[in-house]
């Protein structure tokens, strides 16, 4: 089964969703191919070392509002074993980070690259839009940055818009069935099983009738 996860590496709920999908895949009884797709919460964002909290306060109306938002998601993440340090996080444009994930995907390492970028942003306080930082993170994840992948990322961002993706994380199963939000692990496992059942039914319907036996008679 193919599952695509649309996410951004500066989205805390995407980090949680990414982690929960990995758990769900381990619990599911079948084979799953996971592909990481780009989405930019702020495509016009600038990387320059600005503390994320300041940027969020401007966007969402002050420190009190942001403290409530970040406190909630930090608590949820902690229950999943993830450390979110908004006091360290740096605002960044994520296009180049997505390009690295795309390159990593060529070697089947997009999950590893995504995980490292999430931790870099939310736990380590690194600027995931800074070229030198990205080069170091790519090397750490075993990804060779050839400079390629930008056109593919643009095409995938365009596809996300065409599909109507407006919020992330979004999980797309078999290019047909979508589940949005950082759902619990058990919900994602149930979704995998449900899609498996529906896909099996569709395939059975599509198989053309062949010669068979029915009610005691056989086609000869």
């Amino acid at each position: 089964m193919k599952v695509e996860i649309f996410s951004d590496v500066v989205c805390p709920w995407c980090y949680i969703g990414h982690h929960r999908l990995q758990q769900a895949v381990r619990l599911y009884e079948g084979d799953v191919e996971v592909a990481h797709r780009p989405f930019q919460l702020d495509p016009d964002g600038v990387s320059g070392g600005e503390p994320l909290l300041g940027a969020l306060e401007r966007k969402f109306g002050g420190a009190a509002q942001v403290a409530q938002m970040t406190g909630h998601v930090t608590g949820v993440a902690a229950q999943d074993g993830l450390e979110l340090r908004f006091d360290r996080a740096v605002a960044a444009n994520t296009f180049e980070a997505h390009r690295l994930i795309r390159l990593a995907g060529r070697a089947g390492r997009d999950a590893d690259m995504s995980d490292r970028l999430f931790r870099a942003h939310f736990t380590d306080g690194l600027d995931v839009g800074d070229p030198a930082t990205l080069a170091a993170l790519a090397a750490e994840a075993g990804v060779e940055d050839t400079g390629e992948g930008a056109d593919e990322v643009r095409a995938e961002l365009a596809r996300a818009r065409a599909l109507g993706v407006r919020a992330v994380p979004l999980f797309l199963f078999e290019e047909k069935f979508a589940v949005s939000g950082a759902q619990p692990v058990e919900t994602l496992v149930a979704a995998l099983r449900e899609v498996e059942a529906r896909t099996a039914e569709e395939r059975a319907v599509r198989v053309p009738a062949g010669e068979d036996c029915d009610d005691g008679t056989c086609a000869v």
Side-chain angles (χ1 to χ4, degrees):
M1 185 187 306
K2 183 176 182 179
V3 181
E4 299 172 86
I5 174 171
F6 292 82
S7 65
D8 198 357
V9 297
V10 294
C11 164
W13 292 110
C14 294
Y15 190 10
I16 295 169
H18 163 83
H19 178 71
R20 290 177 177 176
L21 179 61
Q22 290 179 315
Q23 291 181 289
V25 168
R26 286 193 290 268
L27 292 172
Y28 174 63
E29 298 83 1
D31 294 328
V32 181
E33 174 193 348
V34 178
H36 292 76
R37 305 302 188 204
F39 185 90
Q40 286 194 280
L41 292 172
D42 185 8
D44 299 319
V46 177
S47 296
E50 179 186 9
L52 179 62
L53 284 177
L56 292 176
E57 288 168 6
R58 288 199 309 274
K59 184 175 182 179
F60 293 107
Q65 177 74 2
V66 170
Q68 181 179 7
M69 293 166 52
T70 57
H72 173 63
V73 71
T74 297
V76 173
Q79 294 176 7
D80 282 58
L82 305 176
E83 183 183 17
L84 304 187
R85 292 294 305 269
F86 284 95
D87 58 320
R88 295 178 180 174
V90 177
N93 186 292
T94 57
F95 184 89
E96 287 298 311
H98 285 302
R99 187 181 62 79
L100 286 184
I101 295 171
R102 182 70 174 77
L103 287 178
R106 297 180 181 180
R109 299 184 62 84
D110 46 342
D112 294 334
M113 191 73 253
S114 295
D115 185 68
R116 187 63 191 97
L117 287 162
F118 277 125
R119 287 191 291 111
H121 177 71
F122 283 108
T123 305
D124 302 335
L126 300 177
D127 183 351
V128 295
D130 175 68
T133 299
L134 289 172
L137 293 173
E140 184 179 329
V143 175
E144 180 183 1
D145 186 1
T146 62
E148 301 172 300
D151 289 341
E152 289 89 343
V153 172
R154 293 188 187 96
E156 290 176 351
L157 289 169
R159 176 172 174 251
R161 290 192 295 270
L163 288 171
V165 179
R166 295 290 180 268
V168 286
L170 183 136
F171 307 91
L172 184 63
F173 300 80
E174 292 290 299
E175 299 185 354
K176 295 181 180 180
F177 308 101
V179 173
S180 62
Q183 299 288 344
V185 173
E186 55 269 23
T187 299
L188 292 173
V189 173
L192 287 165
R193 292 172 179 162
E194 176 68 16
V195 171
E196 178 187 16
R198 291 193 186 188
T199 303
E201 290 174 1
E202 288 182 358
R203 287 172 180 165
V205 169
R206 291 174 186 170
V207 174
E211 295 181 336
D212 58 11
C213 295
D214 180 65
D215 195 25
T217 63
C218 291
V220 294

